[in-house]
PDB file of all heavy atoms in Angstrom:
ATOM      1  N   GLN G  53      -3.903  57.583 -17.207  1.00  0.00           N
ATOM      2  CA  GLN G  53      -4.123  58.143 -18.578  1.00  0.00           C
ATOM      3  C   GLN G  53      -5.557  58.624 -18.660  1.00  0.00           C
ATOM      4  O   GLN G  53      -5.833  59.691 -19.363  1.00  0.00           O
ATOM      5  CB  GLN G  53      -3.813  57.099 -19.615  1.00  0.00           C
ATOM      6  CG  GLN G  53      -2.312  56.694 -19.655  1.00  0.00           C
ATOM      7  CD  GLN G  53      -2.106  55.575 -20.682  1.00  0.00           C
ATOM      8  OE1 GLN G  53      -3.049  55.224 -21.426  1.00  0.00           O
ATOM      9  NE2 GLN G  53      -0.894  55.128 -20.731  1.00  0.00           N
ATOM     10  N   GLY G  76     -21.007  77.879 -16.071  1.00  0.00           N
ATOM     11  CA  GLY G  76     -21.199  79.034 -15.248  1.00  0.00           C
ATOM     12  C   GLY G  76     -20.086  79.998 -15.169  1.00  0.00           C
ATOM     13  O   GLY G  76     -20.164  81.163 -14.991  1.00  0.00           O
ATOM     14  N   THR G 104     -41.145 102.144 -70.702  1.00  0.00           N
ATOM     15  CA  THR G 104     -41.521 103.502 -70.387  1.00  0.00           C
ATOM     16  C   THR G 104     -41.341 103.743 -68.909  1.00  0.00           C
ATOM     17  O   THR G 104     -42.007 103.142 -68.062  1.00  0.00           O
ATOM     18  CB  THR G 104     -43.006 103.777 -70.725  1.00  0.00           C
ATOM     19  OG1 THR G 104     -43.811 102.742 -70.068  1.00  0.00           O
ATOM     20  CG2 THR G 104     -43.218 103.608 -72.200  1.00  0.00           C
ATOM     21  N   LEU G 112     -35.908  98.523 -56.880  1.00  0.00           N
ATOM     22  CA  LEU G 112     -36.246  97.744 -55.676  1.00  0.00           C
ATOM     23  C   LEU G 112     -35.046  97.781 -54.758  1.00  0.00           C
ATOM     24  O   LEU G 112     -33.869  97.565 -55.178  1.00  0.00           O
ATOM     25  CB  LEU G 112     -36.671  96.308 -56.051  1.00  0.00           C
ATOM     26  CG  LEU G 112     -36.943  95.383 -54.849  1.00  0.00           C
ATOM     27  CD1 LEU G 112     -38.257  95.860 -54.132  1.00  0.00           C
ATOM     28  CD2 LEU G 112     -37.142  93.941 -55.272  1.00  0.00           C
ATOM     29  N   PRO G 157     -27.539  74.897 -29.802  1.00  0.00           N
ATOM     30  CA  PRO G 157     -26.053  74.722 -30.040  1.00  0.00           C
ATOM     31  C   PRO G 157     -25.831  73.710 -31.200  1.00  0.00           C
ATOM     32  O   PRO G 157     -26.560  72.694 -31.280  1.00  0.00           O
ATOM     33  CB  PRO G 157     -25.573  74.139 -28.688  1.00  0.00           C
ATOM     34  CG  PRO G 157     -26.515  74.602 -27.680  1.00  0.00           C
ATOM     35  CD  PRO G 157     -27.832  74.674 -28.323  1.00  0.00           C
ATOM     36  N   GLN G 172     -12.903  54.887 -36.165  1.00  0.00           N
ATOM     37  CA  GLN G 172     -11.610  54.167 -36.206  1.00  0.00           C
ATOM     38  C   GLN G 172     -11.566  53.097 -35.108  1.00  0.00           C
ATOM     39  O   GLN G 172     -11.077  52.003 -35.293  1.00  0.00           O
ATOM     40  CB  GLN G 172     -10.471  55.186 -35.904  1.00  0.00           C
ATOM     41  CG  GLN G 172     -10.292  56.161 -37.109  1.00  0.00           C
ATOM     42  CD  GLN G 172      -9.799  55.412 -38.352  1.00  0.00           C
ATOM     43  OE1 GLN G 172      -9.035  54.430 -38.314  1.00  0.00           O
ATOM     44  NE2 GLN G 172     -10.353  55.855 -39.506  1.00  0.00           N
ATOM     45  N   ASP G 235     -13.469  36.663 -11.519  1.00  0.00           N
ATOM     46  CA  ASP G 235     -13.217  35.587 -10.568  1.00  0.00           C
ATOM     47  C   ASP G 235     -14.507  34.876 -10.203  1.00  0.00           C
ATOM     48  O   ASP G 235     -14.536  33.637 -10.104  1.00  0.00           O
ATOM     49  CB  ASP G 235     -12.518  36.089  -9.312  1.00  0.00           C
ATOM     50  CG  ASP G 235     -11.099  36.465  -9.603  1.00  0.00           C
ATOM     51  OD1 ASP G 235     -10.553  36.130 -10.631  1.00  0.00           O
ATOM     52  OD2 ASP G 235     -10.461  37.233  -8.807  1.00  0.00           O
ATOM     53  N   SER G 259      -5.998  19.686 -14.559  1.00  0.00           N
ATOM     54  CA  SER G 259      -5.826  20.429 -15.857  1.00  0.00           C
ATOM     55  C   SER G 259      -7.022  21.378 -16.044  1.00  0.00           C
ATOM     56  O   SER G 259      -6.911  22.400 -16.742  1.00  0.00           O
ATOM     57  CB  SER G 259      -5.779  19.479 -16.998  1.00  0.00           C
ATOM     58  OG  SER G 259      -6.922  18.602 -17.027  1.00  0.00           O
ATOM     59  N   PRO G 289     -17.876  54.150 -22.778  1.00  0.00           N
ATOM     60  CA  PRO G 289     -18.888  53.274 -23.239  1.00  0.00           C
ATOM     61  C   PRO G 289     -20.220  53.881 -23.525  1.00  0.00           C
ATOM     62  O   PRO G 289     -20.919  53.508 -24.451  1.00  0.00           O
ATOM     63  CB  PRO G 289     -18.969  52.242 -22.137  1.00  0.00           C
ATOM     64  CG  PRO G 289     -17.630  52.290 -21.475  1.00  0.00           C
ATOM     65  CD  PRO G 289     -17.186  53.701 -21.539  1.00  0.00           C
ATOM     66  N   GLU G 300     -26.961  52.557 -36.277  1.00  0.00           N
ATOM     67  CA  GLU G 300     -27.973  51.588 -36.514  1.00  0.00           C
ATOM     68  C   GLU G 300     -29.350  52.194 -36.740  1.00  0.00           C
ATOM     69  O   GLU G 300     -30.387  51.525 -36.760  1.00  0.00           O
ATOM     70  CB  GLU G 300     -28.025  50.616 -35.348  1.00  0.00           C
ATOM     71  CG  GLU G 300     -26.774  49.787 -35.171  1.00  0.00           C
ATOM     72  CD  GLU G 300     -26.850  48.861 -33.890  1.00  0.00           C
ATOM     73  OE1 GLU G 300     -27.786  49.040 -33.153  1.00  0.00           O
ATOM     74  OE2 GLU G 300     -25.848  48.131 -33.696  1.00  0.00           O
ATOM     75  N   SER G 317     -27.138  70.239 -18.567  1.00  0.00           N
ATOM     76  CA  SER G 317     -28.047  71.024 -17.703  1.00  0.00           C
ATOM     77  C   SER G 317     -28.005  70.517 -16.256  1.00  0.00           C
ATOM     78  O   SER G 317     -28.468  71.214 -15.333  1.00  0.00           O
ATOM     79  CB  SER G 317     -29.497  70.934 -18.260  1.00  0.00           C
ATOM     80  OG  SER G 317     -29.978  69.665 -18.063  1.00  0.00           O
ATOM     81  N   ASN G 339     -41.449  86.731 -38.119  1.00  0.00           N
ATOM     82  CA  ASN G 339     -41.813  86.009 -39.385  1.00  0.00           C
ATOM     83  C   ASN G 339     -40.969  84.723 -39.510  1.00  0.00           C
ATOM     84  O   ASN G 339     -39.734  84.781 -39.463  1.00  0.00           O
ATOM     85  CB  ASN G 339     -41.633  86.901 -40.605  1.00  0.00           C
ATOM     86  CG  ASN G 339     -42.347  88.185 -40.447  1.00  0.00           C
ATOM     87  OD1 ASN G 339     -41.808  89.181 -40.100  1.00  0.00           O
ATOM     88  ND2 ASN G 339     -43.604  88.211 -40.792  1.00  0.00           N
ATOM     89  N   PRO G 345     -48.549  71.517 -35.664  1.00  0.00           N
ATOM     90  CA  PRO G 345     -48.673  70.175 -35.128  1.00  0.00           C
ATOM     91  C   PRO G 345     -49.971  69.517 -35.591  1.00  0.00           C
ATOM     92  O   PRO G 345     -50.964  70.162 -35.957  1.00  0.00           O
ATOM     93  CB  PRO G 345     -48.614  70.384 -33.602  1.00  0.00           C
ATOM     94  CG  PRO G 345     -49.083  71.793 -33.420  1.00  0.00           C
ATOM     95  CD  PRO G 345     -48.632  72.588 -34.579  1.00  0.00           C
ATOM     96  N   ILE G 418     -55.503  72.862 -33.093  1.00  0.00           N
ATOM     97  CA  ILE G 418     -55.259  74.053 -33.906  1.00  0.00           C
ATOM     98  C   ILE G 418     -56.581  74.814 -33.988  1.00  0.00           C
ATOM     99  O   ILE G 418     -57.602  74.240 -34.378  1.00  0.00           O
ATOM    100  CB  ILE G 418     -54.777  73.746 -35.345  1.00  0.00           C
ATOM    101  CG1 ILE G 418     -53.533  72.859 -35.253  1.00  0.00           C
ATOM    102  CG2 ILE G 418     -54.514  75.012 -36.101  1.00  0.00           C
ATOM    103  CD1 ILE G 418     -53.023  72.392 -36.659  1.00  0.00           C
ATOM    104  N   GLN G 447     -50.132  58.761 -32.640  1.00  0.00           N
ATOM    105  CA  GLN G 447     -49.416  57.746 -31.952  1.00  0.00           C
ATOM    106  C   GLN G 447     -48.338  57.151 -32.884  1.00  0.00           C
ATOM    107  O   GLN G 447     -48.711  56.738 -34.064  1.00  0.00           O
ATOM    108  CB  GLN G 447     -50.294  56.597 -31.429  1.00  0.00           C
ATOM    109  CG  GLN G 447     -49.558  55.535 -30.708  1.00  0.00           C
ATOM    110  CD  GLN G 447     -48.936  56.013 -29.401  1.00  0.00           C
ATOM    111  OE1 GLN G 447     -49.544  56.641 -28.626  1.00  0.00           O
ATOM    112  NE2 GLN G 447     -47.680  55.672 -29.254  1.00  0.00           N
ATOM    113  N   ALA G 448     -47.076  57.159 -32.487  1.00  0.00           N
ATOM    114  CA  ALA G 448     -46.040  56.538 -33.263  1.00  0.00           C
ATOM    115  C   ALA G 448     -45.489  55.261 -32.596  1.00  0.00           C
ATOM    116  O   ALA G 448     -45.437  55.149 -31.387  1.00  0.00           O
ATOM    117  CB  ALA G 448     -44.865  57.549 -33.324  1.00  0.00           C
ATOM    118  N   LYS G 509     -29.812  51.994 -43.402  1.00  0.00           N
ATOM    119  CA  LYS G 509     -28.569  52.029 -44.129  1.00  0.00           C
ATOM    120  C   LYS G 509     -28.107  50.617 -44.452  1.00  0.00           C
ATOM    121  O   LYS G 509     -27.271  50.393 -45.418  1.00  0.00           O
ATOM    122  CB  LYS G 509     -27.529  52.698 -43.257  1.00  0.00           C
ATOM    123  CG  LYS G 509     -27.824  54.221 -43.002  1.00  0.00           C
ATOM    124  CD  LYS G 509     -26.770  54.869 -42.109  1.00  0.00           C
ATOM    125  CE  LYS G 509     -27.110  56.326 -41.867  1.00  0.00           C
ATOM    126  NZ  LYS G 509     -26.067  56.980 -40.999  1.00  0.00           N
ATOM    127  N   ASN G 520     -54.430  58.438 -46.225  1.00  0.00           N
ATOM    128  CA  ASN G 520     -55.250  59.261 -45.400  1.00  0.00           C
ATOM    129  C   ASN G 520     -56.669  59.406 -45.972  1.00  0.00           C
ATOM    130  O   ASN G 520     -56.771  59.574 -47.238  1.00  0.00           O
ATOM    131  CB  ASN G 520     -54.626  60.656 -45.346  1.00  0.00           C
ATOM    132  CG  ASN G 520     -55.211  61.541 -44.228  1.00  0.00           C
ATOM    133  OD1 ASN G 520     -54.881  61.419 -43.032  1.00  0.00           O
ATOM    134  ND2 ASN G 520     -56.219  62.335 -44.542  1.00  0.00           N
ATOM    135  N   ALA G 557     -35.579  55.808 -57.522  1.00  0.00           N
ATOM    136  CA  ALA G 557     -36.466  56.559 -56.618  1.00  0.00           C
ATOM    137  C   ALA G 557     -37.832  56.674 -57.224  1.00  0.00           C
ATOM    138  O   ALA G 557     -37.993  56.777 -58.430  1.00  0.00           O
ATOM    139  CB  ALA G 557     -35.901  57.900 -56.363  1.00  0.00           C
TER     140      ALA G 557
END
Side-chain angles (χ1 to χ4, degrees):
Q53 293 177 6
T104 55
L112 177 67
Q172 291 297 321
D235 288 343
S259 62
E300 296 174 354
S317 67
N339 304 97
I418 304 175
Q447 180 64 49
K509 296 181 181 178
N520 193 85

